[in-house]
Amino acid sequence: MHIPDGWIDPAILIITWFFTLLGLFVSIRRMKHVDERRITYMAVLAGTIFAAQMLNFPVFGGTSGHLLGAALATTIVGPWGGLLVISVVLIIQAILFGDGGILALGANIFNMGIIGVFLAYFIIRLMMVYTDPKQSSRMKIKYYSGVFLASFLSVFIASFFAAIEIGIPIFNSSSFVTFSEVLPLMLFYHLIIGVAEGVITCVIVAYFNTIEMDVFLEVNNPSFSFPLLRR
Amino acid sequence: MRHINNRYLFGTIILLLGLILIAPFADPNPDGLESAVSSIHDNPEGNSFDLGLFSDYGGENSFLFHILNNEFLSVIVSAIIGVIVIIGIFIIPILYIRHNKKGISS
């Protein structure tokens, strides 16, 4: 889902860069009081997401997909930490590996970081806050449905935003694809990629639950990272 | 500081190594975005800021591939370099926190 340079209208670039820089500014400020343990988790998580994004798995229709990792990041280090993790991965991919454009980096961080991470966070908060999978099988189903749905929708909606950005020209009328052309195809491919993302994320979260890690520490304690969402 | 969950680190590092080792076997087909655009437009060429060192994660066009002359190895090496750079970025705030702690304790 890495958009290269030259695919997006300059006006869309400016808008996405504005929200990206704002998001990064707030994230870095939120990290001021974060301890060493959490940054260690973020570092290892970022390395893993980078390696996972390198790995394209085959998808029906002669295309391929890779893990986005936004839902995984938000479950482990919260939305602000998750945004930083995804942003660092995307910046390194763009600068060192030529994956995604530099000018389009704002749009890529906006889609996969801001949309992916925060959407996953809101779904997890809505569906599974204070849900303990060890209490009953019903709770377990609710818990993993939340993880799956958050992962799936983070990919699916991020691709929807990517389609909007690619397909809607504002100043640059020479855009080579239109929104109506690119949207159904993007949603179709990312529907399948999203299912794979959901399954992979559930497996990883299940592993973290077996080692009794505070997987949803930040999700269950929103005041820790996101006072606006305090219930 | 709260205790670091060693099993988290162990599990994630094993996962990381596994991913790096299977990276050369990844699907060569374009991803969902490129597929969507290429099915509408014949040549959806975009530009990337490409230094050429690790293009396509150690693919045939990269400088690393020309040095190692082995795609399997160049993909693995570029993955390791990427992971090291990314983890290195997060070491900066850890060093900053340690430096501040030292300053407070002294």
Side-chain angles (χ1 to χ4, degrees):
Chain A
M1 209 192 293
H2 297 67
I3 304 172
D5 286 336
W7 282 24
I8 307 180
D9 188 274
I12 303 275
L13 278 180
I14 293 167
I15 295 165
T16 50
W17 265 112
F18 171 76
F19 285 109
T20 296
L21 290 176
L22 189 70
L24 288 177
F25 176 73
V26 179
S27 296
I28 291 166
R29 279 188 69 88
R30 296 268 172 182
M31 291 294 116
K32 264 186 178 175
H33 306 291
V34 165
D35 61 12
E36 206 177 307
R37 179 187 68 115
R38 192 145 292 268
I39 296 175
T40 309
Y41 286 170
M42 284 169 68
V44 181
L45 188 66
T48 309
I49 289 173
F50 167 79
Q53 288 198 359
M54 271 185 75
L55 212 72
N56 281 336
F57 52 83
V59 174
F60 170 74
T63 183
S64 68
H66 58 74
L67 195 82
L68 185 65
L72 185 65
T74 201
T75 51
I76 294 167
V77 291
W80 300 111
L83 174 58
L84 281 181
V85 164
I86 299 290
S87 302
V88 167
V89 170
L90 292 173
I91 290 166
I92 296 302
Q93 283 174 335
I95 293 173
L96 272 186
F97 298 94
D99 197 3
I102 292 281
L103 288 175
L105 195 56
N108 285 327
I109 295 176
F110 179 79
N111 297 337
M112 292 184 258
I114 296 177
I115 300 295
V117 165
F118 282 90
L119 185 77
Y121 179 78
F122 280 111
I123 294 164
I124 289 166
R125 282 282 299 153
L126 279 174
M127 281 198 67
M128 51 187 302
V129 69
Y130 305 121
T131 305
D132 186 357
K134 286 170 196 154
Q135 280 180 1
S136 67
S137 56
R138 197 166 159 253
M139 280 277 197
K140 201 171 196 169
I141 291 167
K142 192 184 166 201
Y143 181 92
Y144 285 106
S145 303
V147 176
F148 180 85
L149 198 66
S151 313
F152 170 76
L153 285 178
S154 66
V155 173
F156 192 66
I157 303 297
S159 75
F160 175 76
F161 273 86
I164 292 175
E165 289 153 17
I166 296 165
I168 297 183
I170 297 175
F171 295 127
N172 177 15
S173 56
S174 62
S175 176
F176 52 78
V177 286
T178 63
F179 180 63
S180 59
E181 284 174 330
V182 78
L183 183 72
L185 283 163
M186 278 289 279
L187 294 188
F188 171 70
Y189 288 131
H190 287 90
L191 191 82
I192 305 162
I193 295 168
V195 172
E197 168 103 7
V199 173
I200 294 167
T201 309
C202 281
V203 170
I204 297 172
V205 169
Y207 168 74
F208 288 145
N209 279 323
T210 61
I211 61 171
E212 294 179 346
M213 191 188 146
D214 288 334
V215 177
F216 295 103
L217 177 74
E218 298 226 13
V219 175
N220 284 333
N221 299 282
S223 57
F224 191 69
S225 62
F226 205 163
L228 290 171
L229 295 179
R230 191 181 289 138
R231 285 194 172 184
Chain B
M1 189 182 85
R2 286 182 64 171
H3 180 64
I4 290 176
N5 191 325
N6 288 329
R7 283 187 291 179
Y8 164 79
L9 291 181
F10 177 75
T12 319
I13 289 165
I14 292 293
L15 179 69
L16 185 60
L17 291 174
L19 289 170
I20 289 171
L21 284 175
I22 57 172
F25 303 105
D27 195 288
N29 281 321
D31 73 11
L33 172 68
E34 287 159 335
S35 288
V37 177
S38 64
S39 61
I40 300 162
H41 197 274
D42 289 340
N43 187 22
E45 279 296 311
N47 305 310
S48 306
F49 174 79
D50 196 354
L51 291 169
L53 292 172
F54 312 107
S55 312
D56 293 332
Y57 301 99
E60 283 181 10
N61 297 324
S62 67
F63 182 64
L64 191 66
F65 174 79
H66 290 292
I67 294 172
L68 299 172
N69 215 11
N70 182 328
E71 194 171 0
F72 183 87
L73 212 60
S74 67
V75 171
I76 288 181
V77 171
S78 70
I80 292 169
I81 290 169
V83 169
I84 290 170
V85 170
I86 285 172
I87 292 179
I89 288 172
F90 284 96
I91 288 174
I92 298 166
I94 292 175
L95 292 175
Y96 177 75
I97 290 169
R98 285 190 182 167
H99 176 78
N100 275 1
K101 269 186 191 169
K102 253 187 190 173
I104 291 165
S105 60
S106 64

